[in-house]
């Protein structure tokens, strides 16, 4: 199904969602931000979706916020319009950070500024070697807002974050992987196959455990060890109460049936 600003299709358990303003290098205008929230909403609880992949049509993943429509035209309408546009953008990034299914950013090309919000929101990220990343805000006279500063401080070393934000220089997919902005980088021609492979690994796992695990990874980073221990006990108990028979089945197949080894792969769902 395709709309002006967001395209998506669902195939074999994977929702392939694409920024779809290739002529504008997939920069995010208010219409795209509103539409993306609707698409995420539609896909989140569909039984035929186990993993969501976010990529871009054309040569860009996303060239960040739309400088004309998101900044200039919105600012011309006053502070209320600015706040509304911000909440629409931040809203779908937040929705994606806590999405019910695991998410993968497939960064096929340009990724700038505001694009770091959805990049970070995705649980995993794979980039083309040819992709180009930059915090270009400094090049047009603002600080990296909309969470972008927080993203690089959370993911990069302090020195790399500082260099990246102060210079606005481009880095390619390989360097983004070396800096841990993404999990891996590989030639563009191989990107989709690798992302499909990873998505298929996730599709074999218990979906309740996936959601509990991805939330736990994001939550415990801000906790003391003792708070994390407590949170994780409660999170597991909550997951157990979700009619999650899979966990017992996983133990049964290992201990009683001896049909698999949890150290070497997932049980048969
Ligand atoms: N905002 C608004 N329009 C944009 C944006 C953007 N972020 N990015 C690209 N476009 C538009 C261009 O204005 C152009 O429109 P036109 O065809 O009507 O003239 C069209 O997309 C194509 O862009 P080109 O610059 O011609 O494409 P090219 O492939 O040569 O360059 C590049 C791509 C490097 C991504 C360039 O478009 C660019 O620098 N874009 C801005 C990147 C950026 O700094 N984004 C803001 C980050 S800061 C933030 O998000 C808060």
């Amino acid at each position: 199904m395709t709309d002006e600003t967001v395209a998506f299709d669902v195939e074999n358990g994977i929702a392939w969602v694409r920024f779809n303003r290739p002529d504008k290098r997939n920069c995010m205008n208010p219409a795209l931000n509103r539409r993306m929230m609707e698409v995420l909403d539609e896909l989140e609880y569909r039984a035929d979706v186990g993993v969501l992949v976010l990529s871009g049509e054309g040569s860009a993943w996303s060239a960040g916020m739309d400088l004309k429509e998101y900044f200039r035209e919105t600012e011309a309408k006053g502070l209320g319009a600015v706040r509304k546009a911000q909440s629409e953008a931040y809203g779908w990034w937040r929705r994606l950070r806590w999405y019910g299914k695991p998410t993968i950013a497939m960064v096929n090309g340009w990724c700038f500024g505001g694009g770091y919000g959805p990049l970070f929101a995705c649980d995993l990220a794979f980039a083309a070697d040819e992709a180009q990343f930059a915090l270009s805000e400094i090049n047009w006279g603002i600080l990296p807002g909309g969470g972008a500063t927080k993203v690089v401080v959370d993911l990069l070393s302090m020195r790399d974050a500082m260099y990246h934000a102060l210079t606005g220089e481009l880095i390619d997919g390989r360097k983004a992987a070396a800096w841990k902005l993404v999990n891996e980088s590989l030639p563009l021609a191989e990107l989709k196959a690798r992302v499909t492979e990873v998505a298929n690994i996730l599709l074999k796992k218990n979906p309740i455990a996936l959601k509990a695990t991805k939330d736990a990874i994001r939550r415990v980073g801000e906790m003391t060890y003792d708070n994390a221990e407590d949170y994780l006990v409660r999170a597991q108990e909550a997951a157990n109460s979700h009619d999650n028979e899979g966990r017992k089945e996983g133990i049964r197949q290992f201990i009683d049936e001896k049909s698999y080894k949890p150290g070497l792969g997932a049980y048969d769902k």
Side-chain angles (χ1 to χ4, degrees):
M1 182 194 264
T2 303
D3 163 87
E4 279 178 13
T5 54
V6 178
F8 71 92
D9 42 74
V10 176
E11 206 182 334
N12 301 323
I14 306 172
W16 298 93
V17 179
R18 298 176 297 281
F19 295 107
N20 190 33
R21 300 181 72 213
D23 294 348
K24 298 289 182 187
R25 305 300 179 260
N26 297 326
C27 64
M28 290 174 268
N29 64 352
L32 182 147
N33 290 327
R34 284 192 288 273
R35 180 63 188 146
M36 192 64 90
M37 184 63 115
E38 289 172 2
V39 169
L40 294 180
D41 204 31
E42 175 175 338
L43 293 171
E44 187 164 16
Y45 300 112
R46 266 175 62 162
D48 60 342
V49 173
V51 174
L52 184 145
V53 177
L54 181 60
S55 68
E57 286 288 348
S59 62
W61 193 69
S62 172
M65 307 321 291
D66 187 316
L67 301 196
K68 178 168 168 281
E69 292 186 41
Y70 179 84
F71 283 106
R72 191 170 65 188
E73 292 177 2
T74 305
E75 278 167 23
K77 293 180 195 154
L79 185 60
V82 169
R83 290 283 180 264
K84 179 170 184 291
Q86 286 169 337
S87 78
E88 286 168 350
Y90 303 170
W92 77 260
W93 305 345
R94 188 179 309 115
R95 179 72 176 270
L96 198 55
R97 280 202 302 284
W98 302 105
Y99 210 57
K101 312 281 169 67
T103 54
I104 304 176
M106 184 169 86
V107 186
N108 50 296
W110 303 110
C111 178
F112 286 99
Y116 283 39
L119 177 69
F120 179 71
C122 289
D123 302 319
L124 299 171
F126 293 80
D129 292 342
E130 297 91 333
Q132 297 279 341
F133 298 77
L135 285 183
S136 55
E137 286 88 341
I138 199 71
N139 292 339
W140 60 282
I142 68 165
L143 62 75
T149 296
K150 175 68 174 156
V151 171
V152 292
V153 167
D154 275 9
L155 296 183
L156 312 186
S157 76
M158 181 272 197
R159 293 293 180 209
D160 289 339
M162 192 67 89
Y163 188 90
H164 200 50
L166 288 179
T167 66
E169 277 178 17
L170 290 165
I171 60 170
D172 65 11
R174 284 199 190 98
K175 191 160 212 176
W179 280 7
K180 308 295 184 203
L181 188 57
V182 298
N183 291 88
E184 281 175 36
S185 157
L186 58 169
L188 180 60
E190 297 166 25
L191 183 63
K192 188 166 184 189
R194 174 66 180 134
V195 168
T196 304
E197 182 181 65
V198 174
N200 283 331
I201 292 171
L202 299 176
L203 286 172
K204 293 205 175 75
K205 311 293 184 195
N206 179 316
I208 293 170
L210 284 172
K211 169 66 172 148
T213 300
K214 57 177 268 176
D215 287 0
I217 294 280
R218 288 189 189 271
R219 295 267 185 223
V220 302
E222 295 168 359
M223 295 180 192
T224 62
Y225 190 94
D226 284 335
N227 285 347
E229 196 179 70
D230 187 53
Y231 166 84
L232 293 167
V233 165
R234 290 161 201 277
Q236 182 58 56
E237 285 172 1
N240 292 351
S241 72
H242 285 178
D243 205 13
N244 184 8
E245 288 305 308
R247 186 178 57 98
K248 292 177 191 157
E249 178 60 16
I251 295 177
R252 194 190 68 75
Q253 288 179 17
F254 177 50
I255 299 294
D256 303 331
E257 206 172 272
K258 300 194 188 305
S259 56
Y260 87 116
K261 294 179 191 296
L264 304 180
Y267 71 93
D268 185 2
K269 280 196 290 163

